[in-house]
Amino acid sequence: MQVTRDFSHYVRAAGDGIKHIDLAVEGVHCAGCMAKIERGLSAIPDVTLARVNLTDRRVALEWKQGTLDPARFIDRLEELGYKAYPYETESAEATEVAESRFLLRCLGVAAFATMNVMMLSIPVWSGNVSDMLPEQRDFFHWLSALIALPAAAYAGQPFFRSAWRALSAKTTNMDVPISIGVCLALGMSVVETIHHAEHAYFDAAIMLLTFLLVGRVLDQNMRRRTRAVAGNLAALKAETAAKFVGPDEISQVPVAAIHPGDIVLLRPGERCAVDGTVIEGRSEIDQSLITGETLYVTAEQGTAVYAGSMNISGTLRVRVSAASEATLLAEITRLLDNALQARSRYMRLADRASRLYAPVVHATALITIFGWVIAGAGWHDAIVTGVAVLIITCPCALGLAIPTVQTVASGAMFKAGVLLNSGDAIERLAEADHVIFDKTGTLTLPDLEVMNAADIPADIFELAGRLALSSHHPVAAAVALAAGARSPIVGAVEEAGQGVRAVVGVELRLGRPSFCRAEALVGSATLDPEASIVAFSKGNERFILSVRQGLRPDAQAVIAALKARNIGIEILSGDREPAVLAAAHALGIAEWRAGVTPADKIARIEELKRRGAKVLMVGDGMNDAPSLAAAHVSMSPISAAHLSQATADLVFLGRPLAPVVAAIDSARKALHLMRQNLWLAIGYNVLAVPVAISGVVTPLIAAAAMSGSSILVMLNSLRARNASREIV
């Protein structure tokens, strides 16, 4: 009977004729595994992306539509020695929990056996230099074997299984020499015990497994903590929503069945499943994920709401603008995944070193054994020295040096409101010594504010707001929002490029000063040079409204913090000179240019590059896309309006500008720790390998040294969690 496998349910479109699938892969523990999987899958024709996320052991695959069966990827992974299946969050988490429990059981068995074998080994060590009888020594050795052999058979399963899969696929990984070393040590110990020898190495073998398991458990726990960030995002996703299928009839439907233009009901205590705009009702909502503000905000007609927002009090009707994978929350989740899957320059260096490890260490161990035999040593001593070389040269520290820092730093940046969108963004950001800011939407908030609302009579402002609801112009939207307008004036007519008018007893007009016959007020009023001017007339009464984007609330503190870090700052903006001058003066930025084109910005960036500057461009990701690409590294504020167009290396959430400084601090700390870890790992091997080859290191000491180096690297990496200095 022929069995077919249909994985089409797990495949999604990635745009431009590209298909995407995520696969969960078992047995991925190191950078070497990642490199082998990515090379093996990328070799398949028409595969455009193969990227392993070591944090949740997931591989993301993209290929040209219609050319490949997803089952082929699973078959290829099996050929490489890895079991794979379609990735689903719940099943993947269940598998991860089961593996964590299994590792803890293995660690418990290994640790218990180590303590008991060591208690038996100490009398043997003492007796070898005193008067212990050979029969007594043999008895202690056999007791050690009785404890160590079954314990190693159970506790070594994570390494033995991985090594067997690799060898079955005619490849090697870091678990192969570990398994060989453990098995050789145990086998030699049994042989030595049978021949009544003074030395046995049961203690070294079982202690090696204990140290390795401690490192693996710590590594997995760290990855699960970082993955919890993404898990918290997933928990914000509502799976169903109350959709209006009639004027007063709702149906609870899956999010996949909701489309833009639909209307959904959002009740108190529910999380919003879609992005949209409130069309009826009033409530308070918690959307701190998007805005970065922990205080509840008022939601009423015209208020934008996002997937993941919690409705606190009233009932809202929301017109859908995006649902399912098109929402802002889904895009943030994808960006976080990119951060955890990303490849940095240092990680690629560690990958290449790890790939060379297996053949080099096996060759070194064999050369050591034969070298000692040729030098006149016995086979026993030569093999013991070879086992010590196998154990002490395990590149676990090298494999962990970069991924652990990147994982911790990515999680720390996310907590600070920054998402990575490029593999080597951390290193490039750490090198930045000059920042160029765009003004509009970057130093200023994307939303417009009515600056002189308090000077307009309340009844007049209310009428202006209601009339503004009938216009599609963003300035009118700002007037409507500021006035708290909820119901438009019936019969209002918008005249393109001029404004909107209606008759309510008298004629009302909102728009250009000339449209409202208010030119005289513009000439006589003292207006904000940054502001856009909109006029309102009620009969013969005329009023001027000043509308502009305000500076981000912490912009001054952020600029001061950047200066304190000896980072050069300037503004390049396409806006009018008075507006740019006012912003530069308010922020204390001496170097600025107004009215610049995208080409002008690129020319300035190239000029700074020639001077040796590493430029960070911070722009809104839309008209700044060319200059974002030209800079050494780039960052963009994120919002629903232009999220899909963000081409920056990093994006930051919310209204504050503080994430820019936090990202720089985190990147500098992470780069420093990456370099430290690489030197620790390289220095360890440079010192340890010659010592092991010289024969002065026993397998027990080799096990302690190798595991100690891995634990030291992981503990050092955890320092990336708290990198940002206080913004002054």
Side-chain angles (χ1 to χ4, degrees):
M1 181 178 63
Q2 185 178 6
V3 179
T4 60
R5 294 172 295 173
D6 182 9
F7 297 119
S8 58
H9 172 73
Y10 303 99
V11 177
R12 61 179 174 84
D16 297 327
I18 300 296
K19 292 294 187 179
H20 179 102
I21 191 172
D22 290 318
L23 299 177
V25 185
E26 295 181 1
V28 182
H29 299 296
C30 64
C33 297
M34 296 167 65
K36 183 168 70 173
I37 290 172
E38 291 178 353
R39 289 198 312 272
L41 293 173
S42 297
I44 299 175
D46 293 329
V47 169
T48 59
L49 173 72
R51 180 177 290 168
V52 177
N53 183 340
L54 188 59
T55 303
D56 55 11
R57 296 180 175 87
R58 175 175 32 155
V59 59
L61 283 156
E62 292 183 357
W63 67 98
K64 295 178 182 178
Q65 184 173 352
T67 57
L68 288 173
D69 181 353
R72 184 173 175 185
F73 302 133
I74 294 178
D75 294 338
R76 178 58 180 148
L77 285 165
E78 187 173 350
E79 293 172 2
L80 295 171
Y82 300 93
K83 182 180 178 181
Y85 43 87
Y87 181 88
E88 291 183 296
T89 303
E90 292 183 3
S91 61
E93 183 61 25
T95 301
E96 192 73 17
V97 169
E99 184 175 354
S100 294
R101 291 174 178 171
F102 176 62
L103 283 175
L104 285 173
R105 288 197 301 270
C106 291
L107 176 58
V109 169
F112 177 79
T114 297
M115 288 187 293
N116 284 277
V117 171
M118 289 302 297
M119 286 188 351
L120 296 171
S121 298
I122 291 173
V124 174
W125 297 341
S126 303
N128 284 337
V129 295
S130 59
D131 55 355
M132 175 177 278
L133 297 175
E135 292 80 6
Q136 293 174 315
R137 183 176 59 242
D138 289 348
F139 176 71
F140 281 117
H141 281 168
W142 282 116
L143 279 180
S144 297
L146 187 64
I147 297 170
L149 291 174
Y154 182 84
Q157 288 181 81
F159 310 101
F160 300 154
R161 290 175 180 176
S162 173
W164 177 252
R165 284 195 298 266
L167 293 174
S168 299
K170 299 180 181 179
T171 62
T172 59
N173 60 18
M174 285 193 285
D175 290 332
V176 171
I178 289 172
S179 300
I180 292 174
V182 170
C183 292
L184 275 176
L186 290 173
M188 284 186 56
S189 299
V190 172
V191 172
E192 295 290 273
T193 302
I194 291 173
H195 290 89
H196 313 290
E198 289 186 3
H199 300 286
Y201 303 100
F202 297 111
D203 48 5
I206 196 65
M207 183 172 285
L208 170 62
L209 289 176
T210 301
F211 285 145
L212 287 170
L213 287 166
V214 167
R216 191 152 289 185
V217 168
L218 288 175
D219 180 49
Q220 187 177 48
N221 286 341
M222 185 185 67
R223 296 186 192 284
R224 290 190 69 187
R225 284 199 300 271
T226 301
R227 190 168 56 253
V229 174
N232 291 339
L233 289 180
L236 295 176
K237 295 181 180 178
E239 300 298 329
T240 62
K243 174 183 173 181
F244 280 91
V245 295
D248 295 306
E249 181 183 356
I250 61 173
S251 176
Q252 201 75 21
V253 300
V255 173
I258 298 176
H259 306 285
D262 290 342
I263 297 175
V264 298
L265 185 68
L266 186 58
R267 291 164 289 209
E270 290 183 340
R271 286 204 178 274
C272 189
V274 299
D275 290 356
T277 305
V278 176
I279 60 173
E280 184 179 315
R282 184 181 176 88
S283 179
E284 289 187 319
I285 57 174
D286 175 7
Q287 51 183 20
S288 54
L289 174 69
I290 307 301
T291 65
E293 296 177 357
T294 56
L295 296 177
Y296 297 154
V297 297
T298 301
E300 52 192 0
Q301 187 179 43
T303 302
V305 294
Y306 304 100
S309 299
M310 172 68 77
N311 186 21
I312 305 301
S313 52
T315 300
L316 301 172
R317 288 194 184 202
V318 177
R319 187 180 302 279
V320 178
S321 60
S324 191
E325 294 303 309
T327 63
L328 179 60
L329 181 62
E331 185 67 21
I332 290 174
T333 304
R334 284 193 288 272
L335 286 173
L336 183 58
D337 283 342
N338 287 342
L340 297 179
Q341 294 171 3
R343 283 290 184 279
S344 69
R345 288 175 291 176
Y346 284 91
M347 185 178 287
R348 290 193 291 270
L349 175 63
D351 286 349
R352 288 194 293 269
S354 296
R355 287 201 299 270
L356 294 173
Y357 160 71
V360 170
V361 73
H362 289 144
T364 303
L366 285 173
I367 291 171
T368 300
I369 292 172
F370 288 113
W372 275 101
V373 171
I374 292 171
W379 281 101
H380 167 272
D381 292 337
I383 292 175
V384 168
T385 304
V387 170
V389 171
L390 277 176
I391 293 172
I392 207 167
T393 55
C394 178
C396 294
L398 184 61
L400 294 170
I402 306 305
T404 49
V405 175
Q406 189 167 22
T407 299
V408 175
S410 297
M413 284 188 176
F414 179 79
K415 290 180 180 178
V418 180
L419 297 173
L420 298 178
N421 202 22
S422 175
D424 58 352
I426 289 179
E427 288 114 275
R428 286 188 284 123
L429 181 61
E431 297 167 349
D433 55 15
H434 194 95
V435 180
I436 294 177
F437 285 102
D438 177 48
K439 184 187 77 70
T440 307
T442 304
L443 290 173
T444 62
L445 293 167
D447 302 322
L448 294 168
E449 301 176 3
V450 180
M451 306 308 297
N452 63 335
D455 300 332
I456 309 297
D459 58 333
I460 296 295
F461 197 33
E462 180 187 1
L463 279 174
R466 292 182 60 196
L467 186 58
L469 286 175
S470 299
S471 173
H472 294 89
H473 197 282
V475 172
V479 173
L481 181 63
R486 301 180 60 185
S487 58
I489 294 176
V490 178
V493 177
E494 185 170 18
E495 296 186 12
Q498 296 298 319
V500 61
R501 58 183 173 81
V503 177
V504 183
V506 296
E507 186 179 51
L508 307 178
R509 291 194 175 206
L510 178 74
R512 290 179 177 271
S514 58
F515 178 68
C516 301
R517 295 183 290 276
E519 300 97 319
L521 289 181
V522 176
S524 62
T526 302
L527 300 172
D528 189 334
E530 286 192 75
S532 297
I533 304 303
V534 60
F536 176 71
S537 65
K538 177 187 177 186
N540 293 322
E541 298 180 82
R542 309 281 187 269
F543 302 92
I544 292 293
L545 303 177
S546 177
V547 181
R548 71 172 177 88
Q549 293 176 316
L551 290 173
R552 290 183 181 264
D554 61 345
Q556 290 181 331
V558 167
I559 297 303
L562 291 173
K563 290 180 179 178
R565 288 156 175 80
N566 297 317
I567 295 175
I569 305 168
E570 63 182 278
I571 300 175
L572 295 181
S573 176
D575 206 347
R576 297 171 295 117
E577 182 172 327
V580 180
L581 173 60
H585 180 73
L587 297 174
I589 299 176
E591 196 163 350
W592 58 271
R593 289 175 60 190
V596 297
T597 65
D600 294 333
K601 292 183 180 181
I602 293 175
R604 175 59 177 164
I605 291 171
E606 294 299 331
E607 179 187 348
L608 289 169
K609 283 183 178 180
R610 287 192 294 271
R611 296 180 186 176
K614 305 293 187 181
V615 179
L616 164 62
M617 176 70 197
V618 185
D620 64 9
M622 297 177 70
N623 58 343
D624 286 317
S627 50
L628 289 172
H632 183 67
V633 63
S634 55
M635 183 177 288
S636 173
I638 199 168
S639 70
H642 63 263
L643 175 60
S644 62
Q645 300 170 343
T647 58
D649 299 308
L650 305 97
V651 291
F652 62 91
L653 304 172
R655 293 164 62 89
L657 199 60
V660 174
V661 180
I664 292 173
D665 287 346
S666 293
R668 288 181 172 182
K669 180 74 170 183
L671 182 60
H672 178 66
L673 293 175
M674 286 179 188
R675 290 170 174 168
Q676 274 191 351
N677 281 353
L678 281 176
W679 282 114
L680 282 172
I682 293 171
Y684 159 76
N685 280 285
V686 168
L687 294 174
V689 173
V691 173
I693 293 174
S694 69
V696 300
V697 174
T698 66
L700 178 62
I701 296 173
M706 183 275 299
S707 300
S709 67
S710 299
I711 292 172
L712 181 62
V713 162
M714 283 190 292
L715 292 176
N716 193 48
S717 300
L718 292 176
R719 294 167 56 203
R721 289 182 298 183
N722 303 309
S724 182
R725 311 203 306 263
E726 183 180 356
I727 297 178
V728 294

